[in-house]
Amino acid sequence: MMARLLSAWSFYPSVLGGSLVLVILYLAVTGLQPPRRFIWFLLGTLATVVALMSPLDILSDDYLFSAHMIQHLLLDLIVPPLLLIGLPADPTRHFLQKTIPARIEGILGRPPVAWLLGIATLWIWHVPTLYAATLSNEQIHVFEHICFLVTGTIFWWPVFGPAASRALNTFYALVYLFTGALANSLLGIILTFAPQLIYLGYQHPDDTLGILPLLRDSWGLSPLADQQLGGVLMWVGGSLIFLTAILGVLTRWYAAAGEEHNGVNSQASF
C-alpha cells in the first residue's frame, strides 16, 4: 500500500509546463545573474510541482485533511516568498515602471490591503461549505489553488518584494508578520480543538488507491484525528514558517546595519 501511495504522482501539463516556462523566462531575462536568486526561484517552482503533482495532491483531494493543510502551507506560505526572494531586482523594477503594473502594485502592494487579502483568503476557503465545494468540483479546487498563490504573493510582497513601492521597514515588517502568524494560528487552533468533524468530505473517501487501511489502521488517522492533525500543522507549522520569515527580516536588517557601519568607518578613514 505504501508503494502505491508513493507512486501516485499526477501529471498536469499546465503545472509542469507553466513551471518550465517560468524558469525559461527567468533565465532569458536574467542570464542567471545573480545565481543565488535563481536558486530561490527554482526552489519555489519545485515546491509548486511537489504541492500539485506529488502523492500529496491525491491525498489532499481524496483522503486526508492534514495533507490538504500541507498543500495549503506550500502554496500560501512557502512558494510565494521563495519566488519573490528569487526575483531579480532590476528587471522587476523595470516592469513595474509600466503604467498598468505600477497602478496594480500601487493598490495591492499597500501593506494593509496585502495583509487583508492574504489572511481573508486563508479563512474564507476554510469555511466548511466552500471547502466541501473544492473537494467535489475540480474547477473550484483549481481556482482555490490559484487564489492561494496569487494572494499569497500579494501578502508577502511588502516584506520580500524586490521592488515594492511600499516596502516595510524592519519594525513594521515584524508587526506585519507577527499579526499574520496570529491570524494563521487562530484558525489552526480552532481546527485542532474542534470537538466534532467540520469537514465531512474525508469521512468515506473513494479509495481508488486502496490505501485507506494504511491511513486509518496503520497511521491511526480517523477523520477527527486527521482534522486535528491538520489544525496542528496549520498552527505549529505555519508559526514556524512565519518565525523563519521574521528571522530572515532580522538577518536582513543586521546585514544592512553592518554595511552602513562599515561605510561610515571607511569614510572616516579618509
Side-chain angles (χ1 to χ4, degrees), residues 46-136:
L46 290 175
T48 305
V49 172
V50 169
L52 299 177
M53 292 178 58
S54 76
L56 179 65
D57 184 59
I58 192 169
L59 278 177
S60 66
D61 284 357
D62 298 335
Y63 291 97
L64 295 176
F65 175 78
S66 55
H68 212 149
M69 288 307 98
I70 296 173
Q71 190 179 52
H72 287 180
L73 288 174
L74 284 168
L75 295 176
D76 195 32
L77 299 184
I78 293 180
V79 169
L82 287 176
L83 294 178
L84 289 176
I85 294 170
L87 283 178
D90 290 340
T92 304
R93 290 192 188 98
H94 178 73
F95 175 74
L96 290 176
Q97 288 174 354
K98 302 180 185 298
T99 303
I100 294 178
R103 288 178 179 174
I104 294 173
E105 194 274 340
I107 297 172
L108 299 181
R110 296 175 181 271
V113 174
W115 192 96
L116 186 61
L117 279 174
I119 298 303
T121 299
L122 176 69
W123 277 75
I124 287 171
W125 280 111
H126 286 87
V127 172
T129 52
L130 281 178
Y131 192 97
T134 67
L135 297 181
S136 60

Coordinates of all heavy atoms in Angstrom, one line a residue, residues 46-136:
L46 N 9.8 24.3 -7.8 CA 9.8 22.9 -7.5 C 8.8 22.6 -6.3 O 8.1 21.6 -6.4 CB 11.2 22.5 -7.0 CG 12.3 22.4 -8.1 CD1 13.7 22.1 -7.5 CD2 11.9 21.4 -9.1
A47 N 8.7 23.6 -5.4 CA 7.7 23.4 -4.3 C 6.3 23.4 -4.9 O 5.4 22.7 -4.4 CB 7.9 24.5 -3.3
T48 N 6.1 24.2 -6.0 CA 4.8 24.2 -6.6 C 4.5 22.8 -7.2 O 3.3 22.3 -7.1 CB 4.7 25.3 -7.7 OG1 5.1 26.5 -7.1 CG2 3.3 25.4 -8.3
V49 N 5.5 22.3 -7.9 CA 5.3 21.0 -8.5 C 5.0 19.9 -7.5 O 4.1 19.0 -7.7 CB 6.5 20.6 -9.4 CG1 6.4 19.1 -9.9 CG2 6.7 21.5 -10.6
V50 N 5.7 19.9 -6.4 CA 5.5 19.0 -5.3 C 4.1 19.1 -4.7 O 3.4 18.1 -4.5 CB 6.6 19.1 -4.2 CG1 6.2 18.3 -3.0 CG2 7.9 18.7 -4.7
A51 N 3.6 20.3 -4.5 CA 2.3 20.6 -3.9 C 1.2 20.1 -4.8 O 0.2 19.5 -4.3 CB 2.1 22.1 -3.7
L52 N 1.4 20.2 -6.2 CA 0.3 19.9 -7.1 C 0.4 18.6 -7.9 O -0.6 18.2 -8.5 CB 0.1 21.1 -8.1 CG -0.2 22.5 -7.4 CD1 -0.2 23.5 -8.5 CD2 -1.5 22.4 -6.6
M53 N 1.5 18.0 -7.9 CA 1.7 16.8 -8.7 C 2.2 15.5 -7.9 O 2.1 14.4 -8.4 CB 2.6 17.1 -9.9 CG 2.1 18.0 -10.9 SD 3.2 18.4 -12.2 CE 3.5 16.8 -12.9
S54 N 2.7 15.7 -6.7 CA 3.2 14.6 -5.9 C 2.0 13.8 -5.3 O 0.9 14.3 -5.4 CB 4.1 15.1 -4.9 OG 3.4 15.7 -3.8
P55 N 2.3 12.7 -4.6 CA 1.2 12.0 -3.9 C 0.5 12.9 -2.9 O -0.7 12.5 -2.5 CB 1.9 10.9 -3.2 CG 3.1 10.6 -4.1 CD 3.5 11.9 -4.6
L56 N 1.1 14.0 -2.5 CA 0.4 14.9 -1.6 C -0.9 15.4 -2.2 O -1.9 15.6 -1.5 CB 1.3 16.1 -1.3 CG 0.8 17.2 -0.4 CD1 0.5 16.6 1.0 CD2 1.7 18.4 -0.4
D57 N -1.0 15.5 -3.5 CA -2.2 16.0 -4.2 C -3.3 15.1 -4.1 O -4.4 15.5 -3.7 CB -1.9 16.3 -5.7 CG -3.0 17.0 -6.4 OD1 -3.5 18.1 -5.9 OD2 -3.5 16.4 -7.4
I58 N -3.1 13.8 -4.4 CA -4.2 12.9 -4.3 C -4.6 12.6 -2.9 O -5.8 12.4 -2.5 CB -3.9 11.5 -5.0 CG1 -5.2 10.7 -5.2 CG2 -2.8 10.7 -4.3 CD1 -5.0 9.5 -6.1
L59 N -3.7 12.6 -1.9 CA -4.0 12.5 -0.5 C -4.9 13.7 -0.1 O -5.9 13.5 0.6 CB -2.7 12.5 0.3 CG -2.0 11.2 0.5 CD1 -0.7 11.4 1.3 CD2 -2.9 10.1 1.1
S60 N -4.6 14.9 -0.5 CA -5.3 16.1 -0.1 C -6.7 16.1 -0.8 O -7.7 16.6 -0.2 CB -4.6 17.3 -0.4 OG -4.4 17.5 -1.8
D61 N -6.8 15.6 -2.0 CA -8.1 15.6 -2.7 C -9.0 14.6 -2.2 O -10.2 14.9 -2.1 CB -7.8 15.3 -4.2 CG -7.2 16.5 -5.0 OD1 -7.1 17.6 -4.4 OD2 -6.9 16.4 -6.2
D62 N -8.5 13.4 -1.9 CA -9.4 12.3 -1.6 C -9.4 11.7 -0.2 O -10.4 11.0 0.2 CB -9.1 11.1 -2.6 CG -9.3 11.5 -4.0 OD1 -10.1 12.5 -4.3 OD2 -8.7 10.9 -4.9
Y63 N -8.3 11.9 0.5 CA -8.1 11.1 1.7 C -8.0 11.9 3.0 O -8.6 11.6 4.0 CB -6.9 10.2 1.6 CG -7.0 9.1 0.6 CD1 -6.6 9.2 -0.7 CD2 -7.7 7.9 0.9 CE1 -6.7 8.2 -1.6 CE2 -7.8 6.9 0.0 CZ -7.3 7.0 -1.3 OH -7.4 6.0 -2.2
L64 N -7.1 12.9 3.0 CA -6.7 13.5 4.3 C -6.8 15.0 4.3 O -6.2 15.7 3.5 CB -5.2 13.1 4.6 CG -4.9 11.6 4.9 CD1 -3.4 11.4 5.0 CD2 -5.7 11.1 6.1
F65 N -7.5 15.5 5.3 CA -7.5 17.0 5.6 C -6.1 17.5 5.9 O -5.7 18.5 5.5 CB -8.4 17.3 6.7 CG -8.4 18.7 7.1 CD1 -9.1 19.6 6.4 CD2 -7.8 19.1 8.3 CE1 -9.2 21.0 6.8 CE2 -7.8 20.4 8.7 CZ -8.5 21.4 7.9
S66 N -5.3 16.7 6.7 CA -4.0 17.1 7.0 C -3.1 17.3 5.8 O -2.2 18.2 5.8 CB -3.3 16.1 8.0 OG -3.4 14.8 7.5
A67 N -3.2 16.4 4.8 CA -2.4 16.5 3.6 C -2.8 17.8 2.9 O -2.0 18.5 2.3 CB -2.7 15.3 2.7
H68 N -4.1 18.1 2.9 CA -4.6 19.4 2.3 C -4.0 20.6 3.0 O -3.6 21.6 2.3 CB -6.1 19.4 2.4 CG -6.7 20.1 1.2 ND1 -8.0 19.8 0.7 CD2 -6.3 21.2 0.4 CE1 -8.3 20.6 -0.3 NE2 -7.3 21.4 -0.5
M69 N -3.8 20.5 4.3 CA -3.2 21.6 5.0 C -1.7 21.8 4.6 O -1.2 22.9 4.5 CB -3.3 21.4 6.5 CG -4.6 21.6 7.1 SD -5.4 23.2 6.7 CE -6.4 22.7 5.2
I70 N -1.0 20.7 4.4 CA 0.4 20.8 4.0 C 0.4 21.4 2.6 O 1.3 22.3 2.3 CB 1.1 19.4 3.9 CG1 1.1 18.8 5.3 CG2 2.4 19.4 3.3 CD1 1.6 17.3 5.4
Q71 N -0.5 21.0 1.7 CA -0.6 21.6 0.4 C -0.8 23.1 0.5 O -0.2 23.9 -0.2 CB -1.7 20.9 -0.4 CG -1.7 21.3 -1.9 CD -2.8 20.5 -2.6 OE1 -3.9 20.5 -2.2 NE2 -2.4 19.9 -3.7
H72 N -1.7 23.5 1.4 CA -2.0 24.9 1.5 C -0.8 25.7 2.1 O -0.6 26.8 1.7 CB -3.2 25.1 2.4 CG -4.5 24.7 1.8 ND1 -5.7 24.8 2.4 CD2 -4.8 24.3 0.5 CE1 -6.7 24.4 1.6 NE2 -6.2 24.1 0.5
L73 N -0.1 25.1 3.0 CA 1.1 25.8 3.5 C 2.1 26.0 2.4 O 2.7 27.1 2.4 CB 1.7 24.9 4.7 CG 0.9 24.9 6.0 CD1 1.6 23.9 7.0 CD2 0.8 26.3 6.6
L74 N 2.3 25.0 1.6 CA 3.2 25.2 0.5 C 2.8 26.3 -0.5 O 3.6 27.2 -0.8 CB 3.3 23.9 -0.3 CG 4.1 22.8 0.3 CD1 3.9 21.4 -0.4 CD2 5.6 23.1 0.3
L75 N 1.5 26.3 -0.9 CA 1.0 27.2 -1.9 C 0.9 28.6 -1.4 O 1.0 29.6 -2.1 CB -0.3 26.7 -2.5 CG -0.3 25.4 -3.2 CD1 -1.7 25.0 -3.6 CD2 0.6 25.5 -4.5
D76 N 0.6 28.8 -0.1 CA 0.3 30.1 0.5 C 1.5 30.7 1.3 O 1.7 31.9 1.2 CB -0.9 29.9 1.5 CG -1.5 31.3 1.9 OD1 -1.5 32.2 1.0 OD2 -2.0 31.4 3.0
L77 N 2.3 29.9 2.0 CA 3.3 30.4 2.9 C 4.7 30.1 2.4 O 5.7 30.7 3.0 CB 3.1 29.9 4.3 CG 1.7 30.3 4.9 CD1 1.7 29.8 6.4 CD2 1.5 31.8 4.9
I78 N 4.9 29.2 1.5 CA 6.3 28.8 1.1 C 6.6 29.2 -0.3 O 7.6 29.8 -0.5 CB 6.5 27.3 1.4 CG1 6.4 27.0 2.9 CG2 7.8 26.8 0.8 CD1 6.6 25.5 3.2
V79 N 5.8 28.8 -1.2 CA 6.1 29.1 -2.6 C 6.2 30.6 -2.9 O 7.1 31.1 -3.5 CB 5.0 28.5 -3.6 CG1 5.1 29.0 -5.0 CG2 5.2 26.9 -3.6
P80 N 5.2 31.4 -2.5 CA 5.3 32.9 -2.8 C 6.5 33.6 -2.3 O 7.2 34.3 -3.1 CB 4.0 33.4 -2.2 CG 3.0 32.3 -2.2 CD 3.9 31.1 -1.9
P81 N 6.9 33.4 -1.0 CA 8.1 34.1 -0.6 C 9.4 33.6 -1.3 O 10.3 34.4 -1.6 CB 8.2 33.9 0.9 CG 7.3 32.7 1.2 CD 6.2 32.8 0.1
L82 N 9.4 32.3 -1.6 CA 10.6 31.8 -2.3 C 10.7 32.4 -3.7 O 11.8 32.8 -4.2 CB 10.5 30.3 -2.5 CG 10.8 29.4 -1.2 CD1 10.5 28.0 -1.5 CD2 12.2 29.7 -0.7
L83 N 9.6 32.5 -4.4 CA 9.6 33.2 -5.7 C 9.9 34.6 -5.7 O 10.7 35.1 -6.5 CB 8.2 33.0 -6.4 CG 7.8 31.6 -6.8 CD1 6.4 31.6 -7.4 CD2 8.8 30.9 -7.7
L84 N 9.4 35.3 -4.7 CA 9.7 36.8 -4.5 C 11.2 37.0 -4.2 O 11.8 37.9 -4.7 CB 8.8 37.4 -3.4 CG 7.3 37.5 -3.8 CD1 6.5 38.1 -2.6 CD2 7.2 38.4 -5.0
I85 N 11.7 36.2 -3.3 CA 13.1 36.4 -2.9 C 14.0 36.1 -4.1 O 15.1 36.7 -4.3 CB 13.5 35.4 -1.7 CG1 12.8 35.8 -0.5 CG2 15.0 35.4 -1.5 CD1 12.9 34.8 0.7
G86 N 13.5 35.2 -5.0 CA 14.3 34.9 -6.2 C 14.2 35.9 -7.3 O 15.0 35.8 -8.3
L87 N 13.2 36.8 -7.3 CA 13.0 37.7 -8.4 C 14.2 38.7 -8.5 O 14.7 39.2 -7.5 CB 11.8 38.5 -8.2 CG 10.4 37.9 -8.5 CD1 9.3 38.9 -8.2 CD2 10.4 37.4 -10.0
P88 N 14.8 38.9 -9.7 CA 15.8 39.8 -9.9 C 15.3 41.3 -9.7 O 14.2 41.6 -10.2 CB 16.3 39.6 -11.3 CG 15.1 39.0 -12.0 CD 14.4 38.2 -11.0
A89 N 16.0 42.1 -9.0 CA 15.5 43.4 -8.6 C 15.4 44.3 -9.9 O 14.3 45.0 -10.0 CB 16.5 44.1 -7.6
D90 N 16.4 44.5 -10.7 CA 16.4 45.5 -11.8 C 15.3 45.2 -12.8 O 14.5 46.1 -13.1 CB 17.7 45.6 -12.4 CG 18.8 46.2 -11.5 OD1 18.3 46.9 -10.6 OD2 20.0 46.1 -11.8
P91 N 15.2 43.9 -13.3 CA 14.0 43.7 -14.3 C 12.7 43.8 -13.6 O 11.7 44.3 -14.3 CB 14.3 42.2 -14.7 CG 15.7 42.0 -14.4 CD 16.1 42.8 -13.2
T92 N 12.6 43.5 -12.3 CA 11.3 43.7 -11.7 C 10.9 45.2 -11.6 O 9.8 45.6 -11.8 CB 11.3 43.1 -10.3 OG1 11.7 41.7 -10.4 CG2 9.9 43.2 -9.6
R93 N 11.9 46.0 -11.2 CA 11.6 47.5 -11.1 C 11.3 48.0 -12.5 O 10.4 48.9 -12.7 CB 12.9 48.2 -10.6 CG 13.2 47.9 -9.1 CD 14.2 48.9 -8.6 NE 14.6 48.5 -7.3 CZ 15.7 47.8 -7.0 NH1 16.5 47.4 -8.0 NH2 16.0 47.5 -5.8
H94 N 12.0 47.5 -13.5 CA 11.7 48.0 -14.9 C 10.3 47.6 -15.3 O 9.5 48.5 -15.9 CB 12.7 47.4 -15.9 CG 12.4 47.8 -17.3 ND1 12.7 49.0 -17.8 CD2 11.9 47.0 -18.4 CE1 12.4 49.1 -19.1 NE2 11.9 47.9 -19.4
F95 N 9.8 46.4 -15.0 CA 8.5 46.0 -15.3 C 7.4 46.8 -14.6 O 6.4 47.2 -15.1 CB 8.3 44.5 -15.0 CG 6.9 44.0 -15.2 CD1 6.4 43.8 -16.4 CD2 6.1 43.8 -14.0 CE1 5.1 43.3 -16.6 CE2 4.8 43.3 -14.2 CZ 4.3 43.1 -15.5
L96 N 7.7 47.2 -13.3 CA 6.8 47.9 -12.5 C 6.7 49.4 -12.8 O 5.9 50.2 -12.3 CB 7.1 47.7 -11.0 CG 6.7 46.3 -10.5 CD1 7.2 46.2 -9.0 CD2 5.3 46.0 -10.6
Q97 N 7.6 49.9 -13.7 CA 7.5 51.2 -14.2 C 6.5 51.4 -15.3 O 6.1 52.6 -15.6 CB 8.9 51.7 -14.7 CG 10.0 51.9 -13.7 CD 11.3 52.1 -14.2 OE1 11.6 52.1 -15.4 NE2 12.3 52.4 -13.3
K98 N 6.0 50.3 -15.8 CA 4.9 50.4 -16.8 C 3.6 50.8 -16.2 O 3.4 50.5 -15.0 CB 4.8 49.1 -17.6 CG 6.1 48.6 -18.3 CD 5.9 47.3 -19.0 CE 7.2 46.8 -19.6 NZ 7.7 47.7 -20.6
T99 N 2.8 51.4 -16.9 CA 1.6 52.1 -16.3 C 0.7 51.1 -15.5 O 0.4 51.3 -14.4 CB 0.8 52.8 -17.4 OG1 1.6 53.8 -18.0 CG2 -0.4 53.6 -16.7
I100 N 0.2 50.1 -16.2 CA -0.7 49.2 -15.6 C -0.1 48.4 -14.5 O -0.7 48.4 -13.4 CB -1.3 48.2 -16.7 CG1 -2.2 49.0 -17.7 CG2 -2.2 47.1 -16.0 CD1 -2.7 48.2 -18.8
P101 N 1.0 47.8 -14.6 CA 1.6 47.1 -13.4 C 1.9 48.0 -12.3 O 1.7 47.7 -11.1 CB 3.0 46.5 -14.0 CG 2.7 46.4 -15.4 CD 1.8 47.5 -15.8
A102 N 2.3 49.3 -12.6 CA 2.5 50.3 -11.5 C 1.2 50.6 -10.7 O 1.2 50.7 -9.5 CB 3.1 51.5 -12.1
R103 N 0.1 50.7 -11.5 CA -1.2 51.0 -10.8 C -1.6 49.8 -10.0 O -2.1 50.0 -8.8 CB -2.2 51.3 -11.9 CG -2.0 52.7 -12.5 CD -3.0 53.0 -13.6 NE -2.9 54.3 -14.2 CZ -3.6 54.7 -15.2 NH1 -4.5 54.0 -15.7 NH2 -3.4 55.9 -15.7
I104 N -1.5 48.6 -10.5 CA -1.9 47.4 -9.7 C -1.1 47.3 -8.5 O -1.6 47.1 -7.4 CB -1.8 46.2 -10.6 CG1 -2.8 46.2 -11.8 CG2 -2.0 44.9 -9.8 CD1 -2.6 45.1 -12.8
E105 N 0.2 47.5 -8.6 CA 1.1 47.3 -7.5 C 0.9 48.4 -6.5 O 1.0 48.2 -5.2 CB 2.6 47.4 -7.9 CG 3.6 46.9 -6.9 CD 4.1 48.0 -5.9 OE1 3.9 49.2 -6.3 OE2 4.6 47.7 -4.8
G106 N 0.5 49.6 -7.0 CA 0.2 50.7 -6.1 C -1.0 50.5 -5.2 O -1.1 51.1 -4.1
I107 N -1.9 49.7 -5.7 CA -3.1 49.3 -4.9 C -2.9 48.1 -4.0 O -3.0 48.1 -2.8 CB -4.3 49.2 -5.8 CG1 -4.6 50.5 -6.5 CG2 -5.5 48.7 -4.9 CD1 -5.7 50.3 -7.6
L108 N -2.5 47.0 -4.7 CA -2.4 45.7 -4.0 C -1.1 45.6 -3.1 O -1.1 44.8 -2.2 CB -2.4 44.6 -5.0 CG -3.6 44.4 -5.9 CD1 -3.5 43.2 -6.8 CD2 -4.9 44.3 -5.0
G109 N -0.1 46.5 -3.4 CA 1.1 46.5 -2.7 C 1.0 47.2 -1.4 O 2.0 47.2 -0.6
R110 N -0.1 47.9 -1.1 CA -0.2 48.6 0.2 C -0.3 47.5 1.3 O -1.1 46.6 1.2 CB -1.5 49.4 0.2 CG -1.5 50.6 -0.8 CD -2.8 51.3 -0.8 NE -2.9 52.4 -1.8 CZ -2.5 53.6 -1.5 NH1 -2.1 54.0 -0.3 NH2 -2.6 54.5 -2.5
P111 N 0.5 47.6 2.3 CA 0.5 46.6 3.4 C -0.8 46.2 4.0 O -1.1 45.0 4.1 CB 1.5 47.1 4.4 CG 2.5 48.0 3.6 CD 1.6 48.6 2.5
P112 N -1.7 47.2 4.3 CA -3.0 46.8 4.9 C -3.8 46.0 3.9 O -4.5 45.0 4.3 CB -3.7 48.1 5.2 CG -2.5 49.1 5.4 CD -1.5 48.7 4.4
V113 N -3.8 46.4 2.6 CA -4.5 45.7 1.6 C -3.9 44.3 1.4 O -4.7 43.3 1.3 CB -4.5 46.4 0.3 CG1 -5.2 45.6 -0.8 CG2 -5.2 47.8 0.4
A114 N -2.6 44.2 1.3 CA -1.9 42.9 1.1 C -2.2 41.9 2.2 O -2.5 40.7 2.1 CB -0.4 43.1 0.9
W115 N -2.1 42.5 3.5 CA -2.3 41.6 4.7 C -3.8 41.1 4.7 O -4.0 39.9 4.9 CB -2.1 42.4 5.9 CG -2.0 41.7 7.2 CD1 -0.9 41.2 7.8 CD2 -3.1 41.3 8.0 NE1 -1.2 40.5 9.0 CE2 -2.5 40.5 9.1 CE3 -4.5 41.4 7.9 CZ2 -3.3 40.0 10.1 CZ3 -5.3 40.9 8.9 CH2 -4.7 40.2 10.0
L116 N -4.7 42.0 4.4 CA -6.1 41.6 4.5 C -6.5 40.6 3.4 O -7.2 39.6 3.7 CB -7.0 42.8 4.3 CG -8.5 42.6 4.5 CD1 -8.8 42.0 5.9 CD2 -9.3 43.9 4.3
L117 N -6.0 40.8 2.2 CA -6.2 39.8 1.1 C -5.7 38.4 1.4 O -6.3 37.4 1.2 CB -5.6 40.3 -0.2 CG -6.4 41.4 -1.0 CD1 -5.6 41.9 -2.2 CD2 -7.7 40.8 -1.4
G118 N -4.4 38.4 1.9 CA -3.8 37.1 2.2 C -4.5 36.4 3.4 O -4.8 35.2 3.2
I119 N -4.8 37.1 4.5 CA -5.4 36.4 5.6 C -6.9 36.1 5.3 O -7.4 35.0 5.7 CB -5.3 37.3 6.8 CG1 -3.8 37.5 7.2 CG2 -6.1 36.7 8.0 CD1 -3.0 36.2 7.4
A120 N -7.6 37.0 4.6 CA -9.0 36.7 4.3 C -9.2 35.5 3.4 O -10.1 34.7 3.6 CB -9.7 38.0 3.7
T121 N -8.3 35.4 2.4 CA -8.3 34.2 1.5 C -8.1 32.9 2.3 O -8.8 31.9 2.1 CB -7.3 34.4 0.5 OG1 -7.5 35.5 -0.3 CG2 -7.3 33.1 -0.5
L122 N -7.2 32.9 3.2 CA -6.9 31.8 4.1 C -8.2 31.3 4.8 O -8.6 30.2 4.9 CB -5.8 32.0 5.0 CG -5.4 30.9 6.0 CD1 -4.8 29.8 5.3 CD2 -4.5 31.5 7.1
W123 N -8.8 32.3 5.5 CA -10.0 32.0 6.3 C -11.2 31.6 5.5 O -12.0 30.7 5.8 CB -10.3 33.2 7.2 CG -9.5 33.2 8.5 CD1 -8.2 33.6 8.6 CD2 -9.9 32.9 9.8 NE1 -7.8 33.5 9.9 CE2 -8.8 33.0 10.6 CE3 -11.1 32.4 10.3 CZ2 -8.9 32.8 12.0 CZ3 -11.2 32.2 11.7 CH2 -10.1 32.4 12.5
I124 N -11.5 32.4 4.4 CA -12.7 32.1 3.6 C -12.7 30.7 3.0 O -13.7 30.1 3.0 CB -12.8 33.2 2.5 CG1 -13.1 34.6 3.1 CG2 -13.8 32.8 1.4 CD1 -13.1 35.7 2.1
W125 N -11.5 30.3 2.5 CA -11.5 29.0 1.9 C -11.6 27.8 2.9 O -11.7 26.7 2.5 CB -10.3 28.8 1.0 CG -10.4 29.5 -0.4 CD1 -9.7 30.6 -0.8 CD2 -11.3 29.1 -1.4 NE1 -10.1 30.9 -2.1 CE2 -11.1 30.0 -2.5 CE3 -12.2 28.0 -1.6 CZ2 -11.8 29.9 -3.7 CZ3 -12.9 27.9 -2.8 CH2 -12.7 28.9 -3.8
H126 N -11.6 28.2 4.1 CA -11.8 27.1 5.2 C -13.2 27.1 5.7 O -13.5 26.4 6.7 CB -10.7 27.2 6.3 CG -9.4 26.7 5.8 ND1 -8.5 27.6 5.2 CD2 -8.8 25.5 5.9 CE1 -7.4 26.9 4.9 NE2 -7.6 25.6 5.3
V127 N -14.1 28.0 5.2 CA -15.5 27.9 5.5 C -16.0 26.5 5.0 O -15.7 26.1 3.9 CB -16.3 29.0 4.8 CG1 -17.8 28.8 5.0 CG2 -15.8 30.4 5.4
P128 N -16.6 25.7 5.9 CA -16.9 24.3 5.5 C -17.6 24.2 4.2 O -17.3 23.2 3.4 CB -17.8 23.9 6.7 CG -17.3 24.7 7.8 CD -17.0 26.0 7.3
T129 N -18.6 25.0 3.8 CA -19.3 24.9 2.6 C -18.4 25.1 1.4 O -18.5 24.4 0.4 CB -20.5 25.8 2.5 OG1 -20.1 27.2 2.8 CG2 -21.6 25.4 3.5
L130 N -17.5 26.1 1.5 CA -16.6 26.3 0.4 C -15.6 25.2 0.3 O -15.2 24.8 -0.8 CB -15.9 27.7 0.6 CG -16.7 28.9 0.2 CD1 -15.9 30.2 0.5 CD2 -17.1 28.9 -1.3
Y131 N -15.1 24.8 1.4 CA -14.1 23.7 1.4 C -14.7 22.4 0.8 O -14.0 21.8 0.0 CB -13.7 23.4 2.9 CG -12.4 22.5 3.0 CD1 -11.2 23.1 3.1 CD2 -12.5 21.2 2.9 CE1 -10.1 22.3 3.2 CE2 -11.4 20.3 2.9 CZ -10.2 20.9 3.1 OH -9.1 20.1 3.2
A132 N -15.9 22.1 1.1 CA -16.6 21.0 0.5 C -16.7 21.1 -1.0 O -16.6 20.1 -1.7 CB -18.0 20.8 1.2
A133 N -17.0 22.4 -1.4 CA -17.1 22.6 -2.9 C -15.8 22.3 -3.6 O -15.8 21.8 -4.7 CB -17.5 24.0 -3.1
T134 N -14.6 22.6 -2.9 CA -13.4 22.3 -3.6 C -13.1 20.8 -3.7 O -12.4 20.4 -4.7 CB -12.2 22.9 -2.8 OG1 -12.1 22.3 -1.5 CG2 -12.4 24.4 -2.6
L135 N -13.7 20.0 -2.8 CA -13.5 18.6 -2.9 C -14.4 17.9 -3.9 O -14.1 16.9 -4.5 CB -13.7 17.9 -1.5 CG -12.8 18.3 -0.4 CD1 -13.1 17.6 0.9 CD2 -11.3 18.1 -0.8
S136 N -15.5 18.6 -4.2 CA -16.5 18.0 -5.1 C -16.4 18.5 -6.5 O -17.0 17.9 -7.5 CB -17.9 18.2 -4.6 OG -18.2 19.5 -4.5

